[in-house]
Amino acid sequence: MKIIVILILILSTSCDSSYNQAWVDFNSNYIMDVYENTDMSIDIRVDDLVSRLTLEEKISQMESGSPSIDRLGIPAYNWMNEALHGVRASGNSFFEGESGNDNTTVFPISIALAATWNKQLAYDQGNAISDEARALANKYDNALFLDFWTPVINIARDPRWGRTQEGYGEDPHLVSTISTKLIKGLQGKNKQYFKVIASPKHFVANNSEFNRHWGTSNISEKVLRDYYLPAFKSSIIDGGAYSIMSAYNALNGIPCTANENLLETILREEWGFEGYVVSDCNAIADVHINHKYSETGEEAVALALKAGTDLNCGSYYRKYLFKAVKAGLVSEKIVDKSIKRLFKARMLLGLFDPKNKVPYSKIDVDVIESEKHQALAKKISSESIVLLKNENNFLPLDKDINSIAVIGPNANSLRFGNYSGTTSYSSTPLEGIQNIVSKLTKVYFSQGSQVLEDNLPVISSKSFRPKSGDTRRGVLAEYYDNPNLKGKPIATKLETNIDFNLGFENVPHSILSKNDWSARWSGVFIPKETGQKMLNVSGVDGLKFYFENELIFDKWNENYSHNSFITKSLKAGEEYSFVFEYGEDEGWQSAKLGMKQLKNNLLSDAVNLASNSDVAIVFAGTYEMIEAEGRDRESIDLPKEQIELIKKVYEVNPNMCLVLINGSSLSVNWENENIPSILEAWFPGEAGGEAIAEVLFGDYNPSGKLPITFYKNLNQLPPIDDYDVTKGRTYMYMKEKPLYPFGFGLSYTNFEPSNFSIENTSISVDDTLFVSFELENIGDFDGSEVVQLYIHEHKNSIYNPSKILKAYKKVFLKVDEKKTISLKVPVRDFATYDVTASAYVVSPGNYDVLVGNSSENIYYKTEVKID
């Protein structure tokens, strides 16, 4: 006879809970732990689960790659994934389980999504991405694709910032509205479960790469509250994001990851945030190593945890938190507070519930790269393209034209931008043009200029000798047991090359510790053939590179990702000495020395093709080797080789269109003065070539608007490390005329506004401002216009912007169609931060209300008074 012992647990929120007890599922006779019982509240389930964990087990779950706890049936969980513009699904070394090498839909880069000025597209993209993520999670039956460190909502105060491409522009309202819709699409509409969890980042004022691990963003309270915080606030309050990532940098001297005012007072107390905070990768190590805000690792983790950082991307919690608790630097109760937030997030994803209860568990892999998602990627790309110039209606081009020269480093390449996945479907600009023109049209292609690549072939050991005259092959490697090459090497060996990418844990020599080591590789390089060579020195952490006794590259004291290119004219058989030094003190470990032979005659080939073609289309701009994470631009000009290419092509063929493919604004002054037509296409995603071709040849009327100012030159900008936007940054505070203003974008058709009216010019704080007018398409193409409403307060203050966006609407009109447009703004949205009152206040007084189709082209202005 089977005897079943049933322990009935009676719990209520009004009495103390007794944990380590169980429930019985009478259908299966399975004895459930309380945390597995879906009839209980999530908070009770989380409390029960955490009560069963040892301190060591709790700490193990506070790192981005959380291991399984088999005795409790807790599976491994990977918090670390990206979905900036599509799921990055090409494997993940942090996850202790199966993961794929899957293709997914690659949407245009984030700045392109912002250039659509289409909030619905932002929601649709987020929804598509999370559908594909859930499909992958269901395919592999793991938790690799449920938590995403997306979106980037750092506001674009300076176009030199390498990650401008990852965000949604320079305006608080535009960034807020686009990112909020994306977050809602990602997290889903179900009231019980998240589809995925979104983590807006990097909180806060993280807008420069060169000093991001050690720099401080010094900002007044008013500028912080009015400019840098609004998008984060809306992502939490309006978007409902359940996670947020803290930033590497310090804010006014206090590292963001250990900033209690930021993470507790503002985020949790003021905004009511209930989710979890994750550090940027190795940001807690930065508190100790780079910011030098703590003297030890134990102090760093205690400061971060007490400030409110729940999850560590990196190894510092695992290495130091147990010691910190035992030393009394932080209590286990604070550990419990954080670990409960983390397990609650996992439960809200349905990871501790039967699959039949979680609606998203039914999403199938058929949604991945579906026709619907591919069409959406193309639509976003099409709507993001901005027509910057179109003199004498140069565009659209005739599909029956006799010959076209397609030229440039971005003409036959897919430029996806940072954090991209991989796709099985793609269309380069060249392919798009070839597929859209008449069969009789001759399409010629030339690259025109060199392209920097981060994946240059590793130099073979056959080309290396450890020293001059040595017959052995390879480089001499000397390894040190400290990060600064001090003392004598503890190991010396001959390596075949310099190429390792070992992550956080592995090392290139078994005698070394996981961190705090350094190496020097030296020898001579003997090229096989004469010609121009491009050397690529790259790695993470401190680097130095000497070539022929000349210090070429020195980033020894800058602990982040580096990439440098050196072009040299070398002779076959000659010996060229080099020294590569590397210092590792914490974090990702990688270094590489690569090389490629440069192509000859690129410029002359391009000029020859242009001179013999009816039209030349030049695809110029940037790519990840010019602007990316870890890589700010020193200039906002096009690369010099590309400028020369454009001018030489124009000399032989002024029937020329310039297409910019890039992630941030460019100062194309000469090009704007001379070239008849210019398009901005951003990093356009998998369907970019097709979308660009349809705009060039008139199948699609461009409707994108700039989400960032295009400056004429660097003289119009303060230094990149100056975070005070009131010193002439953005359309809000710029004194001079830009090259192209914020909100600008032309069309192939013309729109005529008329019959403006405003409901009331005397309003109170509780009112809503209404402006209405008629808009008519009086041109020859169907098309969309983005109408924009700005306000300006009548007061003298350095903080008062010349205008600031408060509403916008994208309107589609057929030829000769007229629509009545209404724009509304709650008067409470006029509020700015009052430092004295420590609150957002709508100041009484007079305000200009301005309506136009860019921040400069204002076609209606009136005045209202707030009582």
Side-chain angles (χ1 to χ4, degrees), residues 259-563:
N259 195 315
E260 190 171 351
N261 179 61
L262 195 61
L263 303 181
E264 287 291 342
T265 303
I266 294 175
L267 180 62
R268 297 193 183 278
E269 295 177 16
E270 293 184 21
W271 299 350
F273 178 66
E274 296 182 352
Y276 72 88
V277 175
V278 57
S279 76
D280 206 340
C281 292
N282 291 314
I284 298 177
D286 286 340
V287 172
H288 171 214
I289 293 173
N290 290 316
H291 291 295
K292 305 190 186 305
Y293 194 72
S294 70
E295 293 186 3
T296 65
E298 289 84 357
E299 290 177 358
V301 298
L303 287 168
L305 192 63
K306 287 190 286 188
T309 300
D310 306 302
L311 181 69
N312 175 207
C313 177
S315 58
Y316 252 45
Y317 276 174
R318 171 167 48 83
K319 290 170 67 174
Y320 297 111
L321 186 51
F322 186 86
K323 297 176 185 177
V325 172
K326 294 306 179 183
L329 297 174
V330 63
S331 72
E332 190 169 353
K333 287 184 178 179
I334 295 179
V335 173
D336 287 349
K337 187 186 295 185
S338 285
I339 196 65
K340 286 178 182 180
R341 291 171 183 152
L342 296 174
F343 275 114
K344 186 171 183 178
R346 291 166 72 170
M347 287 190 180
L348 288 169
L349 287 164
L351 294 177
F352 290 85
D353 295 1
K355 289 184 179 179
N356 61 6
K357 284 183 171 286
V358 184
Y360 303 123
S361 66
K362 301 176 179 66
I363 298 176
D364 190 75
V365 291
D366 289 346
V367 303
I368 299 173
E369 292 195 298
S370 63
E371 290 185 6
K372 180 181 178 181
H373 290 181
Q374 289 180 346
L376 178 61
K378 180 184 173 185
K379 181 174 177 60
I380 295 171
S381 182
S382 299
E383 288 203 29
S384 73
I385 295 172
V386 184
L387 181 60
L388 296 175
K389 183 181 179 183
N390 198 28
E391 189 176 73
N392 299 322
N393 297 319
F394 183 86
L395 294 178
L397 298 170
D398 188 342
K399 294 179 185 177
D400 293 321
I401 196 167
N402 183 56
S403 59
I404 303 172
V406 180
I407 295 167
N410 286 341
N412 196 31
S413 298
L414 290 168
R415 305 298 185 196
F416 288 161
N418 291 356
Y419 288 104
S420 174
T422 57
T423 176
S424 60
Y425 168 77
S426 60
S427 171
T428 69
L430 175 63
E431 292 167 342
I433 291 169
Q434 289 170 330
N435 291 333
I436 203 171
V437 296
S438 163
K439 292 181 179 180
L440 299 177
T441 300
K442 299 179 180 67
V443 179
Y444 305 109
F445 166 68
S446 175
Q447 181 176 307
S449 67
Q450 301 291 347
V451 176
L452 302 180
E453 302 171 76
D454 65 345
N455 196 26
L456 298 188
V458 177
I459 302 175
S460 166
S461 62
K462 294 179 181 179
S463 299
F464 284 132
R465 300 290 184 271
K467 61 182 178 179
S468 179
D470 198 322
T471 58
R472 294 176 298 167
R473 293 176 177 178
V475 299
L476 180 64
E478 299 171 294
Y479 294 103
Y480 297 77
D481 60 358
N482 62 79
N484 298 306
L485 300 169
K486 291 181 178 179
K488 295 182 179 180
I490 60 171
T492 301
K493 63 182 293 191
L494 200 64
E495 302 277 17
T496 57
N497 52 40
I498 305 170
D499 181 30
F500 66 88
N501 190 15
L502 301 173
F504 290 111
E505 300 297 323
N506 300 311
V507 288
H509 196 293
S510 59
I511 200 171
L512 299 172
S513 62
K514 292 179 180 179
N515 298 110
D516 297 329
W517 61 273
S518 53
R520 178 184 288 115
W521 298 278
S522 61
V524 294
F525 168 63
I526 306 173
K528 290 183 178 180
E529 54 185 323
T530 299
Q532 287 285 106
K533 314 285 184 181
M534 180 179 288
L535 295 170
N536 175 216
V537 180
S538 62
V540 180
D541 283 324
L543 298 182
K544 279 187 182 180
F545 185 74
Y546 299 82
F547 192 80
E548 287 289 274
N549 298 317
E550 179 185 358
L551 179 59
I552 301 292
F553 182 67
D554 184 1
K555 296 291 183 181
W556 190 255
N557 295 314
E558 297 180 21
N559 184 352
Y560 70 97
S561 176
H562 307 289
N563 221 310

Side-chain angles (χ1 to χ4, degrees), residues 25-172:
D25 183 334
F26 289 96
N27 294 321
S28 63
N29 292 335
Y30 170 71
I31 300 177
M32 290 189 296
D33 291 320
V34 172
Y35 68 84
E36 298 175 293
N37 188 345
T38 58
D39 292 330
M40 307 298 291
S41 75
I42 282 186
D43 287 334
I44 288 176
R45 295 172 66 193
V46 168
D47 287 349
D48 173 69
L49 177 57
V50 171
S51 74
R52 300 170 186 270
L53 302 176
T54 66
L55 177 59
E56 292 93 332
E57 288 171 332
K58 294 172 187 176
I59 293 170
S60 76
Q61 301 298 296
M62 298 171 71
E63 191 168 314
S64 50
S66 299
S68 60
I69 302 177
D70 295 336
R71 70 180 183 86
L72 294 174
I74 298 174
Y77 189 74
N78 187 348
W79 303 86
M80 185 179 190
N81 214 324
E82 303 286 349
L84 183 68
H85 52 120
V87 181
R88 194 169 69 169
S90 52
N92 197 319
S93 62
F94 297 100
F95 186 68
E96 54 173 66
E98 183 181 16
S99 63
N101 223 355
D102 296 84
N103 293 320
T104 55
T105 305
V106 177
F107 295 92
I109 197 68
S110 304
I111 196 72
L113 177 61
T116 70
W117 290 59
N118 188 327
K119 290 170 273 193
Q120 184 60 46
L121 286 183
Y123 176 85
D124 292 344
Q125 179 178 311
N127 186 53
I129 289 171
S130 56
D131 274 354
E132 296 196 5
R134 270 288 178 170
L136 288 166
N138 296 336
K139 172 184 176 180
Y140 291 110
D141 193 25
N142 66 29
L144 177 58
F145 299 105
L146 297 179
D147 198 279
F148 291 94
W149 296 347
T150 296
V152 173
I153 57 175
N154 293 113
I155 198 161
R157 67 181 178 92
D158 194 301
R160 288 167 288 189
W161 181 40
R163 302 184 75 172
T164 300
Q165 59 180 285
E166 295 184 38
Y168 302 105
E170 69 182 35
D171 175 78

Side-chain angles (χ1 to χ4, degrees), residues 37 145 186 264-265 271 418 474 487 490 527 545 550 581 590 608 649 656 712 721 724 804 829:
N37 188 345
F145 299 105
L186 286 170
E264 287 291 342
T265 303
W271 299 350
N418 291 356
I490 60 171
F545 185 74
E550 179 185 358
E581 295 179 343
S590 70
N608 181 57
V649 169
M656 176 179 168
K712 289 181 178 179
D721 58 354
D724 186 352
I804 184 168
D829 287 356

Side-chain angles (χ1 to χ4, degrees), residues 157-158 160 714 717-724 727 729:
R157 67 181 178 92
D158 194 301
R160 288 167 288 189
L714 289 182
L717 284 164
I720 190 172
D721 58 354
D722 189 333
Y723 277 74
D724 186 352
K727 295 179 180 178
R729 290 194 188 277

Side-chain angles (χ1 to χ4, degrees), residues 217-229:
S217 304
N218 296 321
I219 307 167
S220 70
E221 183 76 2
K222 181 164 179 59
V223 171
L224 176 69
R225 296 278 188 162
D226 284 346
Y227 187 70
Y228 290 98
L229 289 181

